[in-house]
């Protein structure tokens, strides 16, 4: 259960009880998946709650809207401030925040004239747990970038992720690994992929994957740690001979991968570059930073 009778959400400029909030059943978002969303994490620090890279997430929410012709008339800094107030009203520190921009009633396929925004939050542990993952290569591929705006975080795009995840779990695995439409390594259903070989990190290049904010953070941390990273087009064979691998994403954070189908990575997780980055990421997100506004 993500909410109870006391849970408060933010909806179009007001804080209201989640249990009393309603939406129109003729919304384009409900019928066609025509909406955009974000996933943001908040962490408890020595100096209070920190919403990690909140501005970057709301900037991406705005960009996602613009890429798919959904109006976005919301102020990014105001949304950052609202997020902190939402957490305070719900007495949350370590939490997951879900902003959603959804469309008004419209049964046509034309762009919406009016949209709403909703922010909710709940306590949520690591999305994929804290054990190394057993992956299965999905029979589904990521959509071709000419068929959708691959860099936009659109509600409907995640049907692809749901299909891949459930296929993997039905086969007894923890999660899926998706290739792109040309057969190159892409990403997980909700996380970006990195793998290690001979002391070098590799990750699929942008173009056929979601440009993850956590992915960008991992790249920043790798540079700070002096780790060599290559971005490019890689095949499943490249991954199968890797020493180790990991996923990263806001919900998943940084989590090691034990195996992909019948191939188990030989390097102990504690000895990997991924483990170094996992530790660095965990420390970073729980470190306080200068406030982004006069109130938060």
């Amino acid at each position: 259960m993500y909410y109870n009778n006391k849970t408060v959400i933010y909806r179009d400029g007001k804080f209201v009880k989640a249990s009393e909030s309603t939406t129109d059943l003729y919304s384009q978002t409900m019928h066609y998946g025509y909406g955009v969303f974000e996933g943001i994490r908040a962490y408890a620090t020595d100096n209070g709650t920190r919403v990690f890279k909140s501005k970057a997430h709301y900037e991406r929410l705005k960009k996602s809207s613009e890429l798919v012709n959904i109006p976005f008339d919301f102020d990014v800094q105001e949304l950052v401030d609202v997020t902190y107030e939402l957490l305070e009203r719900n007495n949350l520190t370590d939490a997951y925040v879900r902003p959603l921009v959804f469309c008004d009633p419209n049964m046509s396929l034309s762009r919406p004239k009016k949209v709403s925004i909703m922010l909710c939050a709940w306590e949520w542990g690591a999305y994929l747990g804290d054990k190394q993952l057993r992956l299965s290569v999905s029979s589904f591929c990521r959509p071709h970038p000419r068929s959708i705006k691959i860099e936009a975080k659109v509600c409907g795009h995640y049907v692809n992720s749901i299909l891949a995840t459930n296929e993997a779990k039905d086969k007894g695995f923890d999660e899926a690994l998706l290739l792109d439409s040309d057969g190159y390594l892409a990403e997980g259903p909700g996380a970006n992929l990195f793998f290690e070989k001979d002391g070098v990190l590799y990750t699929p290049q942008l173009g056929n994957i979601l440009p993850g904010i956590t992915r960008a953070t991992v790249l920043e941390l790798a540079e700070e740690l002096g780790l060599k990273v290559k971005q490019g087009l890689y095949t499943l064979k490249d991954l199968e001979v890797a020493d180790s691998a990991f996923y990263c994403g806001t919900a998943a954070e940084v989590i090691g991968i034990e195996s992909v189908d019948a191939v188990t990575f030989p390097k102990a997780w504690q000895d990997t570059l991924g483990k170094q980055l996992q530790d660095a990421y965990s420390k970073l997100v729980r470190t306080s930073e200068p406030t982004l506004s006069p109130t938060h």
Side-chain angles (χ1 to χ4, degrees):
M1 189 72 173
Y2 298 105
Y3 69 94
N4 55 43
N5 289 333
K6 295 181 179 179
T7 302
V8 173
I9 66 170
Y10 176 82
R11 166 93 182 258
D12 293 333
K14 297 179 181 178
F15 289 97
V16 297
K17 285 189 175 182
S19 59
E20 297 175 0
S21 185
T22 61
T23 190
D24 197 301
L25 295 178
Y26 292 84
S27 165
Q28 266 186 318
T29 307
M30 179 171 287
H31 285 263
Y32 305 125
Y34 192 27
V36 296
F37 71 99
E38 272 298 323
I40 310 174
R41 274 201 184 269
Y43 296 90
T45 76
D46 291 340
N47 292 316
T49 302
R50 177 189 185 185
V51 183
F52 187 65
K53 291 198 171 181
S54 54
K55 192 169 184 179
H57 279 284
Y58 285 116
E59 291 286 3
R60 188 171 66 177
L61 184 69
K62 179 180 180 181
K63 182 179 180 181
S64 293
S65 297
E66 292 170 346
L67 284 169
V68 296
N69 298 313
I70 291 176
F72 190 93
D73 299 321
F74 314 105
D75 181 78
V76 166
Q77 186 57 57
E78 183 178 335
L79 292 174
V80 171
D81 294 338
V82 164
T83 301
Y84 277 97
E85 185 173 351
L86 177 71
L87 293 168
E88 291 171 4
R89 285 174 178 257
N90 287 291
N91 195 29
L92 294 170
T93 51
D94 286 291
Y96 186 82
V97 182
R98 169 53 53 83
L100 171 69
V101 176
F102 59 100
C103 303
D104 269 15
N106 184 352
M107 289 297 98
S108 76
L109 300 181
S110 59
R111 70 184 67 189
K113 295 180 179 178
K114 187 179 178 182
V115 300
S116 293
I117 191 166
M118 184 275 293
L119 275 66
C120 60
W122 63 90
E123 289 185 0
W124 208 19
Y127 174 64
L128 295 173
D130 55 8
K131 295 181 180 179
Q132 285 185 266
L133 302 173
R134 296 170 56 252
L135 304 186
S136 179
V137 178
S138 181
S139 67
F140 300 96
C141 71
R142 273 301 191 218
H144 194 285
R146 288 180 60 192
S147 66
I148 61 171
K149 294 291 185 180
I150 198 77
E151 66 271 40
K153 203 169 175 69
V154 177
C155 299
H157 294 180
Y158 280 74
V159 173
N160 175 255
S161 296
I162 292 170
L163 291 171
T165 293
N166 283 289
E167 178 189 56
K169 290 186 175 182
D170 286 346
K171 290 175 8 183
F173 293 88
D174 300 313
E175 187 57 291
L177 170 65
L178 292 107
L179 308 180
D180 68 19
S181 54
D182 294 318
Y184 291 103
L185 295 173
E187 58 192 334
N192 291 119
L193 171 71
F194 283 79
F195 62 94
E196 174 187 352
K197 179 66 176 177
D198 297 332
V200 178
L201 281 174
Y202 298 84
T203 189
Q205 67 187 27
L206 299 181
N208 290 327
I209 62 172
L210 183 75
I213 290 172
T214 307
R215 176 184 182 274
T217 304
V218 167
L219 292 173
E220 293 166 5
L221 290 171
E223 184 175 1
E224 291 176 10
L225 294 170
L227 306 180
K228 187 175 182 180
V229 184
K230 294 185 178 181
Q231 302 181 51
L233 295 172
Y234 305 110
T235 66
L236 190 56
K237 289 184 178 180
D238 294 321
L239 181 62
E240 289 173 344
V241 297
D243 299 320
S244 68
F246 64 89
Y247 271 162
C248 67
T250 297
E253 299 175 293
V254 177
I255 184 167
I257 296 170
E258 177 185 302
S259 61
V260 177
D261 287 324
V263 177
T264 299
F265 296 111
K267 203 167 188 177
W269 175 243
Q270 293 295 327
D271 301 326
T272 65
L273 300 180
K275 174 59 176 172
Q276 291 184 43
L277 290 162
Q278 183 185 57
D279 291 344
Y281 184 82
S282 181
K283 181 180 179 181
L284 174 65
V285 298
R286 292 170 176 83
T287 302
S288 60
E289 64 177 355
T291 58
L292 296 174
S293 76
T295 54
H296 298 291

